[in-house]
Amino acid sequence: MKKDRITTITKAAETIKTDLLVYFAVEEKDKMPVCDAAVQPQVKKAYELNDFSGKAAEQILFYPPDRSKISAARVLVLGTGPVNKEKDKGDALDMLREAGGQVAKVSASVKAKDVVLCLPTPKHLSPALADPEVSAGALAEGVILGDYRFEKYKESTKKKTDYPGLGAIKFVCNDNLKIIRQGIEKAKNSAFAACTARDMANEPGNHWTSADFAAYAKQLAADTGLGYRCLEKKEMEQMGMGGILAVNQGSYVPARMVVLEYLPEDRTETILLVGKGLTFDSGGISIKPSAGMEDMKYDMCGGAAVMCAMQAVALEKPDVGVVAIVPATDNMSGSKAIHPGDIITHYNGVTSEVINTDAEGRLLLADALAWGIENFKPTCVLDTATLTGAVIIGLGHHYTGLVSNNDALVKAVEAAGNLAGEPVWRLPLNKNYEKQIESKVADIKNTGGKPAGTITAAAYLSNFVGKTPWAHLDIAGTAWDFTKKVYIPKGASGIATRTFINLVRNWKTDKVK
Ligand code: BES
Ligand code: MN
Ligand code: ZN
């Protein structure tokens, strides 16, 4: 769907000609669901027949006869569930996001191109959602995220689905036009950013390399005015970035450190985002088993998240500065590849014994964190990476693992994730875990054994952030196969993109000290 095809319309909904006109019905305990007067007769009948009570994803689909007052070809009444209860704001928002996702799903099943949505009346929503800007935004996000598809490599028309996705969405808006438009604008920025992150991730290893990260960033900078920089292999050699270069040794595609900068002159603070851009992880000499190895094309989802968050930052121009760094390479084996036992020296001089070449993500993040902090002197730094299989054992596919040295930053990340429907769960970090990565021959080693693999990976990174407030998000369990929801497709989820956008939007000076 094209961004400019999502608009508002000020007109009586019944009079609008469209493929599908959507109303929402909010579930009320032991009562008829609350809905627009225009569809009350149908909803009342369905409710009395026990067919419909406004539960999430419940539907009434009907076809107005020719001489009906309604001009639409089809009308959908969609249950949202009980959004009017004392719901947590994040949960309530996610119900609306899921309702939006359902709209995309029904549109696909009836092949509707043009869809018109009537927003649920704010007074029926939870106090947490009384703001129509916010509720319209959540719905719009859900529709856009739910309409996502990745079919560019399906060449034969037979295999291609004959429905290319939504053509246009209009939100009926007879009051509060200005703020609803604002909500929809923001939703477009965040949802399309997440869709772009999904696109990058769904590209296979042969079509998405460090060069593609660089080209994408360069184009984004040219289009938006962001600053762009790319450290090429030669420069990284001169700078002593021994981690990313070690991982890159087995590859024929040179590594790159791709940087996007949003640094307004009157900023008082800067947020640094670092994302693992590992475009294919074979494990290197410590090679992975072949079953499922194809999924390691997704090992760049952290890089995609930070880069695509910059897309929204560039459009929304916040007060706070934001910089994204993507250390990008693949991890291959071959005669030039690093060996287990090799000792490398990171950008900040810390030496590391590479016990397992498959624990490569921390090696590139280490250089990116140390250099980024030295160069940009950020107020805080957040990194995100598909870093450990252990996080999937611990949290499954439902929470992103979070490790941090700063409680205030944890609160901010938790809040941003909750509002995005992307929950995080904090894990501890202390000396006991740091001990696990002590090496006999170097300052540290790159694995700490099986126990607490997610935390020892974070312990490794902690050697490169100094005292800077830092939060590490391990998205190995959530970047793909994320919690099953109607607006989350199979494959790449785009996780963390919208969390970072929310974090930037809600940033207050002096949030972390
Ligand atoms: N990219 C993987 C982590 C991963 C595993 C992501 C499964 C998604 C699904 C990472 O580079 C890796 O291989 N980590 C190792 C570390 C170990 C060797 C210490 C792991 O988790 O097994
Ligand atoms: Mn690996
Ligand atoms: Zn990896």
Side-chain angles (χ1 to χ4, degrees), residues 109-128:
S109 73
V110 300
K111 299 192 171 55
K113 285 203 185 97
D114 183 273
V115 175
V116 172
L117 274 82
C118 301
L119 295 168
T121 329
K123 69 172 183 227
H124 298 134
L125 299 177
S126 77

Side-chain angles (χ1 to χ4, degrees), residues 50 70 78 128 250 299 490 502:
N50 275 327
I70 299 181
L78 189 65
D299 212 15
K490 278 214 169 315
N502 281 342

Side-chain angles (χ1 to χ4, degrees), residues 347-365:
Y347 177 75
N348 67 349
V350 171
T351 61
S352 170
E353 181 187 10
V354 178
I355 300 291
N356 189 320
T357 66
D358 196 15
E360 84 297 339
R362 62 201 76 182
L363 306 186
L364 34 143
L365 290 171

